[in-house]
Amino acid sequence: MATVIDGRQLATELNQATAKRTAKLATRGITPGIVVILVGDDPASLIYTRNKHRRAEKMGIRSVLEKLPADVDQATVMAAIDRYNQDDTIDAILVQEPLPAHLDGLAITNAIRPDKDIDGLHPINLGKLYANQPGHYPVACTPRGVMTILRHYNVELAGKNATLVGRSILVGKPLAAMLDNANATTTVVNRYTPNLSKVTRQADILVVAAGSPHLITREDVKPGAVVIDVGINRLPSGKLTGDVDFNDVRDIASLITPVPGGVGPMTIASLMAQTVDLAEWRQHGQE
Amino acid sequence: MATVIDGRQLATELNQATAKRTAKLATRGITPGIVVILVGDDPASLIYTRNKHRRAEKMGIRSVLEKLPADVDQATVMAAIDRYNQDDTIDAILVQEPLPAHLDGLAITNAIRPDKDIDGLHPINLGKLYANQPGHYPVACTPRGVMTILRHYNVELAGKNATLVGRSILVGKPLAAMLDNANATTTVVNRYTPNLSKVTRQADILVVAAGSPHLITREDVKPGAVVIDVGINRLPSGKLTGDVDFNDVRDIASLITPVPGGVGPMTIASLMAQTVDLAEWRQHGQE
């Protein structure tokens, strides 16, 4: 029977550590600041943004919400990015996905100052991660949270087969880079992979971020594998569930994340921790 | 018996196409320019640099050699980079590896203007490739040459298992990104991988760039696989050989590159082609 990863407990511990860091910064008169740019009225995005806001304020991070109408034009969004790029009270800029289709999301991402790029999506930050460059740069928060989980549970990575189902730029790709940097043998599958099960059954560490409820069942998992489920899917019943059939898989995995309560809480906690990182790195750069 | 890839013939064709492009640019008064910055007197680097120079001049590309002494300091190298960054007659900047250990190679790479970064090593170019961003940006020339070979021989990539032995930033990593972008299921192995043979035997496309002569023998290759050998090793006899034991593997592969005469000629031909790309893209940007 697998050990079930307690993402909420880990997130609580990380949040406490982050709050201590902001308290220490406060003694020097520094308040880390994050702006969330939200375009339109997508209800899920609104809830998610409000949660981030509350969480940030709770731990001594100033949180600004820049709400733009659904029909905002590209130039207005770019001007907002530029304003926060130059705003010294803002350390982290987050553009809430999804953006309306009429906006050029790539141009928006590429316009964010790399040292305020809290999602690690700017190509220069992606490239540094990919090249395993030393030094300080932000990375995507979900993969960062997953790596914290793996470290916390002492999961050996060097020489292990790490397989990622999903290759989004927010999860699969940066996590593949992090696992490769940690010397795992890393495989990235995609929707063209003909025999998914054959590939996933070889994984010592299986990360699933496909956005497909219960895509992975026990037949797809190597006995003793570490299973990390990044999927968050809402079933017709309203219940949240992952990309992994948790009840089916939990007795053959060695370690598994539940949904909810696994990767999710660590994503937002990692976002807060990295906001403080960005503030400290910028501060350090200015001293 | 495998079809043996004729890298020299393919390179000749690509060079002819490149020469036609420079001739066309010449009618508009434009001469693509490349500078090779060579630090020290490494004999192999000197030969390689001279070969590049001759090849470039032959096809209508202006080639500048900036030779710096082995004990040059960091500031002098950075000043040279800065000068060529601003020099409008130079479209491509190549810093010849290896650099002496006292120099900070990463700082030098990161200082090259991304739109003159002929090796595709600047993190912003790496990141764009990794994110599969559209638009024009340079990529590493050896992987570019390998992709040209695979396309020329109509190798199907989507849904195929592509495995890379080696994860350097000049070959393995960017090629993994290109193969993933072409929808292959991509695995990157490294020196921590415990059972290399078990992994490589699953590859439909096996790329070897480990710098280890005859690392791969027939036991490591799936029958019918496409085998791309990026290794160039000099044996004690003086003979060049690859990372793949060509004679041992050729009768079970479906398609295989020889060494020499496989990937090598395509690397330099791709370098020339991309120099002309850079000139055209910069020209386009200025019009």
Side-chain angles (χ1 to χ4, degrees):
Chain A
M1 200 69 156
T3 301
V4 178
I5 289 166
D6 189 343
R8 290 202 184 96
Q9 175 58 30
L10 253 183
T12 300
E13 290 169 20
L14 178 53
N15 285 335
Q16 284 166 350
T18 302
K20 269 188 199 161
R21 291 167 65 204
T22 58
K24 203 171 162 190
L25 284 171
T27 64
R28 297 163 57 200
I30 299 160
T31 307
I34 184 169
V35 58
V36 178
I37 298 178
L38 176 65
V39 181
D41 301 295
D42 180 55
S45 294
L46 260 172
I47 291 169
Y48 191 51
T49 301
R50 278 193 197 128
N51 284 345
K52 280 177 195 165
H53 180 77
R54 250 200 318 264
R55 174 73 58 194
E57 296 281 329
K58 251 190 208 169
M59 55 181 57
I61 295 170
R62 193 171 75 94
S63 167
V64 177
L65 177 60
E66 173 84 32
K67 227 173 145 303
L68 297 169
D71 63 351
V72 67
D73 63 11
Q74 181 80 15
T76 306
V77 182
M78 297 298 269
I81 299 283
D82 190 47
R83 196 164 67 248
Y84 291 112
N85 278 346
Q86 292 176 47
D87 183 340
D88 251 358
T89 70
I90 292 296
D91 300 289
I93 301 173
L94 190 154
V95 179
Q96 182 68 46
E97 302 272 345
L99 287 173
H102 74 277
L103 293 175
D104 178 353
L106 207 55
I108 293 168
T109 296
N110 289 1
I112 295 173
R113 250 177 73 160
D115 61 350
K116 294 189 177 187
D117 170 33
I118 186 70
D119 270 337
L121 285 176
H122 192 286
I124 204 165
N125 291 322
L126 284 174
K128 285 179 175 178
L129 173 64
Y130 189 51
N132 201 13
Q133 286 199 8
H136 294 315
Y137 45 89
V139 297
C141 293
T142 300
R144 180 177 160 142
V146 171
M147 293 304 285
T148 304
I149 288 172
L150 294 174
R151 267 195 309 275
H152 181 85
Y153 285 88
N154 295 312
V155 175
E156 203 187 325
L157 297 173
K160 298 299 175 185
N161 174 321
T163 296
L164 295 108
V165 181
R167 52 174 175 168
S168 75
I169 205 62
L170 259 176
V171 182
K173 287 190 183 200
L175 190 48
M178 291 177 201
L179 289 164
D180 176 66
N181 291 344
N183 299 318
T185 305
T186 306
T187 296
V188 179
V189 309
N190 57 58
R191 66 193 165 90
Y192 296 88
T193 306
N195 192 339
L196 183 64
S197 194
K198 191 182 160 213
V199 180
T200 57
R201 270 202 310 271
Q202 299 187 44
D204 301 308
I205 297 121
L206 177 60
V207 181
V208 193
S212 177
H214 294 191
L215 174 69
I216 299 295
T217 59
R218 57 187 296 121
E219 293 73 32
D220 309 315
V221 177
K222 179 180 175 174
V226 173
V227 178
I228 304 288
D229 188 353
V230 184
I232 302 181
N233 312 284
R234 194 170 291 276
L235 296 175
S237 67
K239 196 175 163 253
L240 291 181
T241 194
D243 290 353
V244 175
D245 187 340
F246 180 83
N247 289 324
D248 196 40
V249 167
R250 70 180 293 188
D251 66 331
I252 66 158
S254 64
L255 191 63
I256 189 169
T257 54
V259 175
V263 172
M266 281 304 287
T267 293
I268 193 158
S270 300
L271 180 76
M272 297 302 146
Q274 189 159 266
T275 299
V276 180
D277 286 346
L278 291 178
E280 289 181 348
W281 298 340
R282 280 211 321 132
Q283 202 58 35
H284 189 74
Q286 285 162 8
E287 277 165 2
Chain B
M1 199 69 153
T3 301
V4 178
I5 289 166
D6 190 344
R8 290 201 183 97
Q9 176 57 30
L10 253 183
T12 299
E13 290 169 22
L14 178 52
N15 285 335
Q16 284 166 351
T18 302
K20 270 189 199 160
R21 293 168 64 204
T22 58
K24 203 172 161 188
L25 285 171
T27 64
R28 297 163 57 200
I30 298 160
T31 307
I34 184 170
V35 59
V36 178
I37 298 177
L38 176 65
V39 181
D41 301 296
D42 179 55
S45 294
L46 260 172
I47 291 169
Y48 192 51
T49 301
R50 279 193 197 128
N51 284 345
K52 280 178 195 164
H53 179 77
R54 248 200 319 264
R55 174 74 58 194
E57 295 283 328
K58 250 191 209 170
M59 56 180 55
I61 295 170
R62 194 171 74 93
S63 167
V64 176
L65 177 60
E66 173 83 33
K67 227 173 143 304
L68 297 170
D71 63 350
V72 67
D73 63 11
Q74 182 79 16
T76 305
V77 182
M78 297 297 270
I81 298 284
D82 190 47
R83 196 165 67 247
Y84 291 111
N85 278 345
Q86 292 177 46
D87 182 341
D88 250 359
T89 69
I90 293 295
D91 300 290
I93 301 173
L94 190 154
V95 179
Q96 183 68 46
E97 302 273 344
L99 287 173
H102 72 277
L103 293 175
D104 178 353
L106 207 56
I108 293 168
T109 297
N110 289 2
I112 295 173
R113 249 177 73 162
D115 61 351
K116 295 189 176 187
D117 170 33
I118 186 69
D119 271 336
L121 286 175
H122 192 286
I124 205 165
N125 291 322
L126 284 174
K128 285 179 175 178
L129 173 64
Y130 189 51
N132 201 13
Q133 286 200 7
H136 294 316
Y137 45 89
V139 296
C141 293
T142 300
R144 180 177 160 143
V146 171
M147 293 303 285
T148 304
I149 289 172
L150 294 174
R151 266 197 309 274
H152 181 84
Y153 285 88
N154 294 313
V155 176
E156 202 187 327
L157 297 174
K160 298 299 175 185
N161 174 320
T163 296
L164 296 108
V165 180
R167 51 172 176 170
S168 76
I169 206 62
L170 258 175
V171 182
K173 287 189 184 200
L175 190 48
M178 291 177 201
L179 290 163
D180 177 67
N181 292 344
N183 300 318
T185 305
T186 305
T187 296
V188 179
V189 309
N190 58 58
R191 64 194 167 88
Y192 297 88
T193 305
N195 191 339
L196 183 64
S197 193
K198 192 183 159 212
V199 180
T200 57
R201 269 203 309 273
Q202 299 186 43
D204 301 307
I205 298 121
L206 178 60
V207 181
V208 192
S212 177
H214 295 192
L215 175 68
I216 299 294
T217 58
R218 59 188 295 121
E219 293 73 32
D220 308 316
V221 177
K222 179 180 177 175
V226 174
V227 179
I228 305 288
D229 188 353
V230 184
I232 302 182
N233 311 285
R234 194 171 290 277
L235 296 176
S237 67
K239 197 175 161 251
L240 290 181
T241 194
D243 291 353
V244 174
D245 188 340
F246 180 81
N247 289 325
D248 196 39
V249 167
R250 69 178 294 187
D251 66 330
I252 66 158
S254 65
L255 191 63
I256 190 169
T257 54
V259 174
V263 172
M266 281 304 289
T267 293
I268 194 158
S270 300
L271 180 77
M272 298 302 146
Q274 189 159 267
T275 298
V276 179
D277 287 345
L278 291 179
E280 288 180 350
W281 298 340
R282 281 212 320 133
Q283 202 57 35
H284 189 75
Q286 284 162 9
E287 278 166 2

